[in-house]
Amino acid sequence: MSEQQYILAIDEGTTSARAIVFDHSGHVVAIGQQEFEQILPRAGWVEHNPVEIMTAVNEVVGQALVKAGINRHQLAAVGVTNQRETTVVWDKNTGEPVYNAIVWQDGRTGAIVDEIAGGDTLGTERYRQITGENISNYPSAPKIKWILDNVDGARERAEAGDLLFGTADSWVVWNLTGGVNGGVHVTDVTNASRTLLMDVRELTWREDICKDFGIPTSMLPEIKSSSEIYGYGAKNSLLIDTPIAGILGDQQAATFGQACFESGNVKNTYGTGCFVLMNTGTEPVFSKNGLLTTVCYKLGDQKTVYALEGSVAVAGSLVQWLRDNLRMIDSAPEIEELANTVEDNGGAYIVPAFSGLFAPYWRNEARGALVGLTRYVNRGHLARAVIEATAFQTRDVVGAMNADSGVPITELKVDGGMTANNTLMQFQADQVGVPVIRPVVAETTALGAAYAAGIAVGFWSGEQDVIDNWAEDKRWEPKGDREENDRLYRNWQKAVTKTFDWVDKDVKD
Ligand code: ADP
């Protein structure tokens, strides 16, 4: 092999930027990480400063290279993975963002969504049939419209062709490849499939939907595959002349890093929220059970691979709520100890519908509930109920996937911070009734982006290398009484219904 022995993955996440150097066996050599500010101007609004994101990205690239003791000559390529849907609009002549990035969790676009969905005689279904996504606060399109409607002069500048839109991957790659000095304005099919603007079958922007949202098509990046050379690191940068050769949205990257290449393979990432993706092969499957249809990956000019996705908004963040709002624990891992002071949930269920429920319910108006309380219930039971909520929500999504695909899943590959919780992982296996498996390399998101980039430049030959490098760390087999587990799940489903429509129609975020 040449001196280029490493791949660098840049993971521009929701709370921090990370850069990870991987070797040819897919092992982590060094990590750089830096958090950036969560800007919360109002209840329900979440923003990032795009300039701060780029500062953090450049910083962590430097950190990772220094820690690995290498320079860019030893990198075969760079891959990028990112928080999806998050929307940046910037001026192509100055490189300056016209507004902060509006983050995927942001709920400010409710009125825009109501207005556009309301005027559509086919309702929300039309958008789903074309893009695979529901019209909601979640995708990028309403966020772009909000910026064009609310930032002084933005619409005129956009119509004059001066403004560019990008999800976080586009913003990062445009800057890495030179910005105003020749930066490439691209995105990949996985990120484009989160905007509500792409035809999920054709992989092209839909002019009619752009028109619905008043978005000039001149703003949009070119849609590329997930694995090809998009451009090279800019002059005077740390990555000068290094091919930028992979882009995958974070959840698709984790699916790739977990080697979910066969139709029916499923992974779940347990972080702030939970994101379950099932590879459905080269044809898109349109859900009858509340799941999104999304692009899983596309390697160069090979066929597009699709996925069904179920996103759960609140998982690890419920643990944080127990820590920060109720102060029942001092750190997230302590929840396990507390939960293990009791045998079961004592009859208590917590449904964390803090800002509505995503898949498979899609209830914007739902709000959280704690049900089944008796004089008997103590802190341990509540800790247990918090842990169980994540497993039940995952079972909701897996059940929807089984129904849509007609073939029950046979195992669940897992990653993310909450997989350190043994009690949760065991209960998850009991609930879904199949083995739950965690890989040795926990950094599956960055790893997926590294593989996409490495495959593009021939550093790895294809999916088989990913499969060969994937190794199991730990496995939880389903245990316990199936009937009892099902009874608990029926109680959970009943608890979920208690979060619907219980308050006045206009709940404000
Ligand atoms: P993200 O990438 O979304 O920031 P991570 O994968 O880093 O998330 O996971 C962090 C989340 O996992 C936090 O919400 C935290 O509360 C939760 N978490 C971390 N360790 C544990 C644990 N041992 N048990 C339960 N939850 C945990």
Side-chain angles (χ1 to χ4, degrees), residues 25-264:
S25 63
H27 285 119
V28 173
V29 177
I31 303 185
Q33 177 160 8
Q34 184 159 313
E35 291 198 2
F36 46 78
E37 191 186 352
Q38 304 295 307
I39 303 166
L40 310 168
R42 293 192 203 177
W45 292 28
V46 189
E47 299 177 358
H48 297 153
N49 177 347
V51 175
E52 192 189 349
I53 286 179
M54 276 321 299
T55 307
V57 164
N58 287 319
E59 168 70 27
V60 297
V61 167
Q63 280 177 19
L65 294 180
V66 167
K67 282 192 196 168
I70 62 170
N71 62 41
R72 50 108 186 165
H73 294 291
Q74 287 154 284
L75 294 177
V78 177
V80 174
T81 180
N82 58 293
Q83 51 169 330
R84 306 172 304 170
E85 295 97 10
T86 297
T87 295
V88 188
V89 176
W90 69 97
D91 187 314
K92 70 176 183 194
N93 309 305
T94 63
E96 281 172 24
V98 303
Y99 190 77
N100 276 336
I102 301 184
V103 179
W104 60 275
Q105 300 143 318
D106 189 289
R108 80 183 67 189
T109 55
I112 291 176
V113 166
D114 286 349
E115 179 199 320
I116 293 177
D120 180 345
T121 47
L122 288 175
T124 61
E125 198 48 23
R126 171 171 166 256
Y127 290 99
R128 209 170 69 86
Q129 287 303 327
I130 297 169
T131 68
E133 294 186 278
N134 294 324
I135 178 167
S136 73
N137 283 329
Y138 189 25
S140 312
K143 303 182 201 298
I144 306 173
K145 178 169 166 57
W146 190 93
I147 291 176
L148 297 183
D149 287 350
N150 289 280
V151 175
D152 262 357
R155 182 165 298 284
E156 293 72 34
R157 288 161 72 192
E159 277 164 7
D162 289 330
L163 300 190
L164 302 179
F165 150 75
T167 37
D169 55 309
S170 296
W171 170 245
V172 169
V173 171
W174 187 79
N175 279 287
L176 288 179
T177 54
V180 291
N181 300 312
V184 295
H185 187 216
V186 298
T187 189
D188 91 304
V189 285
T190 67
N191 278 292
S193 75
R194 317 299 299 182
T195 59
L196 201 76
L197 298 173
M198 188 182 80
D199 186 316
V200 76
R201 296 179 185 81
E202 302 295 327
L203 310 181
T204 52
W205 299 121
R206 285 288 295 227
E207 288 190 18
D208 53 343
I209 300 181
C210 290
K211 211 170 245 161
D212 291 350
F213 283 89
I215 298 170
T217 49
S218 60
M219 295 179 75
L220 303 177
E222 191 180 342
I223 302 173
K224 299 277 196 176
S225 79
S226 316
S227 176
E228 63 182 273
I229 297 177
Y230 312 105
Y232 294 84
K235 285 200 184 70
N236 305 323
S237 79
L238 276 175
L239 297 174
I240 174 171
D241 291 343
T242 314
I244 316 293
I247 304 177
L248 284 164
D250 54 9
Q251 299 310 322
Q252 284 88 344
T255 311
F256 203 86
Q258 285 272 29
C260 290
F261 299 129
E262 302 273 324
S263 183

Side-chain angles (χ1 to χ4, degrees), residues 15 270-273 315-317 319-320 323 332-333 335-336 416-418 420-421:
T15 55
Y270 297 80
T272 310
S317 53
V319 177
Q320 292 169 344
R323 182 192 65 194
I335 194 171
E336 189 165 11
M418 291 183 94
N421 190 317

Side-chain angles (χ1 to χ4, degrees), residues 11 13-16 18 33 104-105 250-251 269-275 315-321 323 329 331-336 386-387 390 415-424 442 445:
D11 178 0
T14 305
T15 55
S16 70
R18 282 139 59 83
Q33 177 160 8
W104 60 275
Q105 300 143 318
D250 54 9
Q251 299 310 322
T269 299
Y270 297 80
T272 310
C274 266
F275 296 87
S317 53
L318 181 60
V319 177
Q320 292 169 344
W321 180 79
R323 182 192 65 194
I329 47 175
S331 70
E334 270 177 42
I335 194 171
E336 189 165 11
V386 163
I387 288 176
T390 292
D415 49 65
M418 291 183 94
T419 62
N421 190 317
N422 214 41
T423 307
L424 168 60
T445 303

Side-chain angles (χ1 to χ4, degrees), residues 271-291:
T272 310
C274 266
F275 296 87
V276 192
L277 266 77
M278 173 189 263
N279 180 321
T280 60
T282 53
E283 291 296 324
V285 173
F286 290 85
S287 176
K288 294 189 172 61
N289 298 285
L291 304 172

